[in-house]
Amino acid sequence: MKANLFTPLSLGSLTLPNRIVMAPMTRARTDQPGNVPNGMMAQYYAQRASAGLIVTEATQISPQGQGYSFTPGIHTPAQVAGWRRVTDAVHAAGGRVFLQLWHVGRMSHGSFHADGRPVAPSALSPEAQVWVVDPQTGQGGMVDCPVPRALKTGEIAGIVEDFRKGAANAMAAGFDGVEIHGANGYLIDQFLRRSANHRTDRYGGDQANRIRFLIEVAEAVAAEAGPDRTGLRLSPFITQRNMADDEIIPTMLKAARELDRIGLAYLHLSEADWEDAPQIPQDFRHALRAGYSGRIIVAGKYTRDRGERIVSDGLADLVAYGRPFIANPDLVRRFREDLPLAAYDGATLFGGGAAGYSTYPALEEVA
């Protein structure tokens, strides 16, 4: 019998009651100063605990890793304590939750850095914008990223260590595991792509060197959290943020084989979710299955029916949903019973209070 979205699944040492994942989504609701997770965030995630797995919003592993205002961290005692409120609430509601570990690299703004410059493999602009709150007005908006500073080779081991510490802090905060953010043009993705990495040392150049930083991070995090509690997000076909690279697919397939050796619990594919976006070809999905034996999560404008198809075809084990979970905390029930979905308010996605965040009701509360 073929699996569907409601077939239970083992993920490392966890047993998931369904294959619907709440995708990581930046919502910028932390307490200030300090980017500290709060009770409102605990309520928000607990409301969505019926998901087979929750992956939290991206969470910076260090002050250097921050790129957007009001995003949470996992590098101070206050942040760890704040996240403990979240994990306690999710577990009390019967859920399972992984923390996504994040270093944005060049996708940042000078206001987050003492010298006014983000860091990256090379001093190349992402030609992109990030969401920053103006301290004078308290209002947030999209601003241009500056040209970053190229990391010195001697600095890279410190960032690997920050990822390890982030994993240790996440486990101390009660998370069931961690997901390394290696997608969407952030630091790990920058190392993987020639368009963002012009280094000539052991972290650049040929394909084997371009995956070295990813592998070192994965090994460090898996050694801390356990490989069966470690996942990784990748975005092979997304080229936004000046990330186009005609060698990225063979590079990622080579990385997948190395990650299989480490024994990571899953790979999470971030697929393009805008109109006329590039589609992932079937030959890549089959090649990934052949080279990686762990679980595969897919995310990117999946409907319930499209999610059912890719799971039943055996090309993915779980399907992550982002925007549908914003306005539908009971998304699993709505999918199972074919109930209508509520629409979210785009004006309340980033920053603000409970409105448009933890105020969306479950269906039974509407009736």
Side-chain angles (χ1 to χ4, degrees), residues 61 74 101 157-171 178 216-217 219-225:
I61 56 171
I74 189 66
L101 300 169
I159 297 177
V160 174
E161 175 64 6
D162 287 339
F163 271 101
R164 186 201 65 76
K165 288 179 181 176
N169 286 340
M171 302 312 286
V178 294
E216 290 182 1
V217 169
E219 288 176 335
V221 170
E224 187 64 50

Side-chain angles (χ1 to χ4, degrees), residues 244-290:
D245 178 3
D246 58 10
E247 290 188 6
I248 190 59
I249 300 309
T251 299
M252 286 198 177
L253 289 173
K254 179 178 179 62
R257 293 190 292 272
E258 287 296 304
L259 296 164
D260 196 47
R261 173 185 59 79
I262 297 170
L264 296 195
Y266 68 80
L267 296 182
H268 183 175
L269 298 182
S270 177
E271 303 178 18
D273 62 357
W274 57 90
E275 297 299 327
D276 301 322
Q279 299 297 309
I280 292 187
Q282 295 295 86
D283 59 350
F284 173 80
R285 296 191 191 279
H286 287 286
L288 185 63
R289 273 296 196 201

Side-chain angles (χ1 to χ4, degrees), residues 106 117 120-125 147-151 196 198:
R106 67 185 188 177
R117 299 184 70 186
S122 300
L124 299 169
S125 172
V147 175
R149 172 180 69 81
L151 284 162
H198 288 179

Side-chain angles (χ1 to χ4, degrees), residues 334-350:
R334 295 191 195 218
F335 273 1
R336 181 183 287 115
E337 299 179 21
D338 196 21
L339 299 171
L341 300 185
Y344 68 89
D345 176 9
T348 58
L349 285 178
F350 304 116

Side-chain angles (χ1 to χ4, degrees), residues 149-338:
R149 172 180 69 81
L151 284 162
K152 298 175 183 177
T153 301
E155 296 178 281
I156 296 175
I159 297 177
V160 174
E161 175 64 6
D162 287 339
F163 271 101
R164 186 201 65 76
K165 288 179 181 176
N169 286 340
M171 302 312 286
F175 283 95
D176 298 296
V178 294
E179 177 178 289
I180 302 164
H181 199 339
N184 296 14
Y186 297 119
L187 184 63
I188 291 173
D189 205 13
Q190 293 159 30
F191 270 97
L192 290 171
R193 299 184 192 242
R194 293 185 305 161
S195 56
N197 179 8
H198 288 179
R199 303 181 70 95
T200 57
D201 62 11
R202 66 195 291 259
Y203 292 96
D206 64 21
Q207 185 186 83
N209 283 335
R210 288 201 304 277
I211 71 171
R212 187 181 297 272
F213 179 63
L214 165 61
I215 300 306
E216 290 182 1
V217 169
E219 288 176 335
V221 170
E224 187 64 50
D228 64 326
R229 294 181 180 271
T230 302
L232 169 70
R233 199 174 212 211
L234 295 170
S235 55
F237 290 90
I238 292 179
T239 59
Q240 289 180 316
R241 300 170 174 175
N242 204 15
M243 297 293 284
D245 178 3
D246 58 10
E247 290 188 6
I248 190 59
I249 300 309
T251 299
M252 286 198 177
L253 289 173
K254 179 178 179 62
R257 293 190 292 272
E258 287 296 304
L259 296 164
D260 196 47
R261 173 185 59 79
I262 297 170
L264 296 195
Y266 68 80
L267 296 182
H268 183 175
L269 298 182
S270 177
E271 303 178 18
D273 62 357
W274 57 90
E275 297 299 327
D276 301 322
Q279 299 297 309
I280 292 187
Q282 295 295 86
D283 59 350
F284 173 80
R285 296 191 191 279
H286 287 286
L288 185 63
R289 273 296 196 201
Y292 177 74
S293 61
R295 303 300 191 188
I296 293 175
I297 304 174
V298 294
K301 214 170 184 178
Y302 279 83
T303 62
R304 184 195 64 176
D305 291 345
R306 185 170 170 236
E308 287 278 350
R309 284 195 300 272
I310 197 166
V311 168
S312 65
D313 288 345
L315 295 176
D317 301 291
L318 303 108
V319 181
Y321 295 88
R323 293 178 183 89
F325 259 117
I326 292 175
N328 301 277
D330 54 344
L331 183 67
V332 173
R333 179 196 167 201
R334 295 191 195 218
F335 273 1
R336 181 183 287 115
E337 299 179 21
D338 196 21

